[in-house]
Amino acid sequence: MICVVHFGAGSYTLELFQRIKKMHKQVPFTDCVSVLSYLEDHELFNCGLVGSNCAIDGSITADCIYFDGKYSAVAAMPLGHLDHPLEHQICLHPIQVCQELLKQPISMRYPPTLLTGVSCHEFASKSGLEMTDPLEAHQKITKSSRERFERHSGMLDTVGCIHISDQVRCGSSSGGISLKNSGRIGSSALFGAGLYQKSVGQKTVAAVASGLGEHLMQHLIAREWCEQLLEATPACDHDDVGGLVVSVDWETGDVEIIALHSTQGLAFAVWDGHWRFYESTTRHQA
């Protein structure tokens, strides 16, 4: 079993690298959803309620995607607002909503692939996922989120995970770009942009991408990297993006992990029996 996770492409400081390095060994490695659920609860990362960037109106929404043979996603899922509690129960883990979408019974005529808005929480509640009182959720909004909103600045971007066991599973979770328009849907909800996976014969490739969502969506970066890796070596030819690409040869058991970024920094970790942490502060391919 191998687990690779990136903590977001963006502007890293030495202090931020050190904080992530100190905590990364606490990340559960058992499966992709557990990894991303943990990061969604951590203030260092731009995902979930406690660390996400805010929209221009002070709202906090999530985009998220999960792939397990087929994919499901949530977009513009409301998690909170800087000024007031929301009016409904809240599921604090968007990645778990995505996973639950894939569990819908075959008897459902057309199981949804993509949910948006408040319907994400309604679905989560009906599915038995843990829900949080809106006032309690409002109290989880961190000081750092408020400070970034007041400074009109963001920090790291989308986080992503690729988990390899009997098959390849991957996921991505994001609070979106800082000061985004209310209602914006980002790359983390779109298959091919923030996440992609493909199998050809005995080989599976997967990618999770981070950075400027509009670039990721316009160029379908995750798909581009996977298609390149099937032929040769992927290249980071676009500005303000980064992420991980993995290739698995099921016949030989060989696994190739490639990290790419054109942002100022990227931190990622690999678990293959123990955690190993990597950091880069230059345009990088390794």
Side-chain angles (χ1 to χ4, degrees), residues 178-242:
S178 181
L179 302 181
K180 61 189 176 184
N181 287 340
S182 179
R184 171 190 181 268
I185 293 175
S187 58
S188 290
L190 301 180
F191 189 67
L195 175 149
Y196 189 71
Q197 184 170 320
K198 182 177 182 178
S199 293
V200 178
Q202 292 296 311
K203 192 172 186 178
T204 297
V205 291
V208 284
S210 178
L212 183 56
E214 277 60 35
H215 285 183
L216 296 170
M217 290 185 282
Q218 289 169 8
H219 301 287
L220 295 178
I221 298 294
R223 179 178 178 179
E224 179 180 291
W225 288 345
C226 285
E227 296 291 353
Q228 289 175 344
L229 185 55
L230 285 171
E231 300 295 332
T233 301
C236 197
D237 296 329
H238 304 281
D239 292 334
D240 300 318
V241 298

Side-chain angles (χ1 to χ4, degrees), residues 11-220:
S11 298
Y12 281 85
T13 62
L14 179 60
E15 179 188 2
L16 184 55
F17 271 130
Q18 292 301 318
R19 291 182 67 186
I20 295 175
K21 185 176 183 179
K22 184 177 181 180
M23 58 73 58
H24 83 278
K25 291 184 179 180
Q26 302 171 22
V27 177
F29 55 82
T30 52
D31 62 86
C32 180
V33 173
S34 295
V35 169
L36 293 177
S37 294
Y38 180 86
L39 298 183
E40 287 174 343
D41 281 335
H42 205 291
E43 68 174 353
L44 282 180
F45 307 110
N46 179 27
C47 59
L49 175 63
V50 297
S52 282
N53 291 325
C54 300
I56 191 70
D57 64 354
S59 62
I60 299 172
T61 60
D63 299 316
C64 191
I65 191 169
Y66 178 62
F67 188 94
D68 183 2
K70 57 182 179 179
Y71 81 93
S72 61
V74 299
M77 177 178 170
L79 296 178
H81 196 285
L82 290 181
D83 297 333
H84 55 77
L86 300 184
E87 296 179 352
H88 53 78
Q89 294 283 303
I90 297 169
C91 178
L92 295 181
H93 297 108
I95 188 63
Q96 294 180 14
V97 180
C98 293
Q99 182 185 45
E100 200 65 29
L101 283 168
L102 295 179
K103 296 180 180 179
Q104 288 307 288
I106 298 177
S107 59
M108 182 177 288
R109 187 178 181 188
Y110 294 113
T113 294
L114 174 66
L115 286 182
T116 64
V118 179
S119 63
C120 301
H121 298 290
E122 295 171 349
F123 173 83
S125 180
K126 291 177 181 178
S127 300
L129 295 179
E130 183 180 358
M131 306 299 289
T132 300
D133 178 81
L135 181 59
E136 181 181 345
H138 183 66
Q139 294 170 345
K140 291 179 178 289
I141 298 176
T142 62
K143 180 180 179 182
S144 60
S145 294
R146 297 180 185 275
E147 290 177 345
R148 291 199 306 274
F149 178 75
E150 292 168 359
R151 293 197 309 265
H152 303 289
S153 65
M155 47 178 293
L156 304 183
D157 199 69
T158 306
V159 299
C161 175
I162 301 173
H163 194 276
I164 305 163
S165 53
D166 59 322
Q167 67 180 76
V168 179
R169 298 173 176 88
C170 48
S172 181
S173 185
S174 179
I177 192 170
S178 181
L179 302 181
K180 61 189 176 184
N181 287 340
S182 179
R184 171 190 181 268
I185 293 175
S187 58
S188 290
L190 301 180
F191 189 67
L195 175 149
Y196 189 71
Q197 184 170 320
K198 182 177 182 178
S199 293
V200 178
Q202 292 296 311
K203 192 172 186 178
T204 297
V205 291
V208 284
S210 178
L212 183 56
E214 277 60 35
H215 285 183
L216 296 170
M217 290 185 282
Q218 289 169 8
H219 301 287
L220 295 178

